[in-house]
Amino acid sequence: MAGHAMTDDLVARDRSATGTPVIELVDVGKTYTSGAIEFEALRGIDLRIDQGEYVAIMGPSGSGKSTLMNIIGCLDVLTRGEYRLAGEDVETLDEAELAHIRNRRIGFVFQQFNLLPALSAWHNVELPLIYASVPAAARKERAFAALERVGLDDRTANRPGEMSGGQQQRVAVARALVGDPDLILADEPTGNLDSVSTADVLGLFAELHEAGRTVVLITHEDEVAQHAARIVRVRDGLIQSDGPSDRAVAGGRA
Ligand SMILES: Nc1ncnc2c1ncn2[C@@H]1O[C@H](COP(=O)(O)OP(=O)(O)O)[C@@H](O)[C@H]1O
Ligand SMILES: [Mg+2]
């Protein structure tokens, strides 16, 4: 297919990519309706992301990035087109199956961290494992290991309010990876962070990518997007361009 030739070329530049599609969107549209007013937030998105790729979705505020992320993450449904996640037609899945996919296959990271304020770091991190019915002792062990991985082994008992923004986002990254998902979906994860914490979080994504995960990083900042191997630029609900990042072109992968 002509449409895939360019994608295959891009995948060849990201040496971690396997050539197996994880995300396949075909002519995806999303229209929000509130009362008599309709708004077309996505207007025909064709996008394929392969296993092991590190892709940034970039665009200005209001361009449809979060709408796209919500569809990719099965948090919202499309109004037209097709979406296959790991080969499965998402349309055909019921709410229980979607919840299962969200919990087992996808690790989410959000701009606002979305941690529960009353819970300690490790209790926040173990949450996805509770939904996955992992026994308590194993949950604790895995939550502590995930916190160690993000460099927070000395903060396991702290609540979010007792930590900096950067630390809270690292807790959120630990929560995203504790269930060992293949796909990490992050929506403006560095939007509330200073430059040091931004570098920390981007370093963690680079490690997750190196370890074989597919990482989709949504951002409005070009500097952040350049950490990915491939940049998909979105504007007014359409893909404007899709190609290797400057870093990938330069051939240097962190
Ligand atoms: N629930 C909603 N109802 C109506 N319009 C929405 C809704 N969510 C987003 N939009 C509109 O869709 C467009 C894209 O929003 P969004 O996907 O959040 O963009 P981005 O994440 O790129 O800032 C914006 O114009 C926004 O106002
Ligand atoms: Mg957004």
Side-chain angles (χ1 to χ4, degrees):
M1 263 206 282
H4 278 167
M6 189 175 77
T7 312
D8 290 340
D9 183 42
L10 294 170
V11 167
R13 294 170 207 265
D14 188 348
R15 283 173 287 145
S16 317
T18 61
T20 308
V22 184
I23 292 163
E24 288 176 288
L25 299 170
V26 182
D27 197 23
V28 165
K30 173 71 182 179
T31 302
Y32 291 112
T33 310
S34 31
I37 300 164
E38 289 201 339
F39 184 81
E40 219 183 341
L42 297 179
R43 301 190 291 143
I45 299 278
D46 291 301
L47 179 65
R48 171 179 156 180
I49 295 176
D50 286 357
Q51 179 87 49
E53 274 198 281
Y54 185 0
V55 180
I57 296 177
M58 207 189 101
S61 177
S63 55
K65 303 182 299 297
S66 293
T67 301
L68 187 55
M69 148 128 175
N70 290 341
I71 288 172
I72 291 173
C74 304
L75 296 166
D76 201 357
V77 290
L78 46 77
T79 39
R80 83 177 150 90
E82 294 163 34
Y83 176 32
R84 282 182 296 280
L85 177 61
E88 289 229 58
D89 189 348
V90 171
E91 284 289 285
T92 64
L93 304 176
D94 62 28
E95 195 39 58
E97 289 167 319
L98 289 174
H100 184 83
I101 284 185
R102 281 194 297 266
N103 191 52
R104 298 293 177 89
R105 304 197 73 108
I106 308 175
F108 292 94
V109 182
F110 300 95
Q111 178 170 1
Q112 311 292 346
F113 321 135
N114 292 11
L115 300 174
L116 297 182
L119 299 185
S120 67
W122 81 264
H123 282 303
N124 266 287
V125 172
E126 73 164 352
L127 282 175
L129 303 179
I130 293 179
Y131 303 132
S133 308
V134 174
R139 289 201 306 264
K140 184 168 184 179
E141 192 175 315
R142 285 171 64 180
F144 273 63
L147 283 164
E148 188 174 357
R149 181 138 185 217
V150 301
L152 287 178
D153 28 336
D154 57 343
R155 290 284 186 279
T156 54
N158 287 83
R159 291 180 183 181
E162 299 162 349
M163 288 183 274
S164 70
Q167 288 171 332
Q168 290 183 58
Q169 195 59 303
R170 283 191 279 153
V171 173
V173 173
R175 182 186 54 191
L177 61 84
V178 74
D180 199 24
D182 330 301
L183 174 62
I184 304 285
L185 270 185
D187 191 357
E188 304 273 8
T190 63
N192 283 339
L193 302 182
D194 61 32
S195 58
V196 172
S197 300
T198 292
D200 277 352
V201 166
L202 291 173
L204 289 170
F205 288 147
E207 278 176 30
L208 293 170
H209 171 232
E210 292 290 318
R213 261 88 166 210
T214 310
V215 179
V216 179
L217 168 64
I218 290 169
T219 182
H220 65 275
E221 291 181 90
D222 188 64
E223 208 179 308
V224 171
Q226 293 297 346
H227 286 258
R230 170 180 165 200
I231 303 180
V232 176
R233 287 174 208 272
V234 180
R235 185 164 208 115
D236 298 332
L238 288 169
I239 292 180
Q240 244 189 341
S241 66
D242 181 348
S245 63
D246 296 347
R247 189 170 62 83
V249 170
R253 286 175 61 245

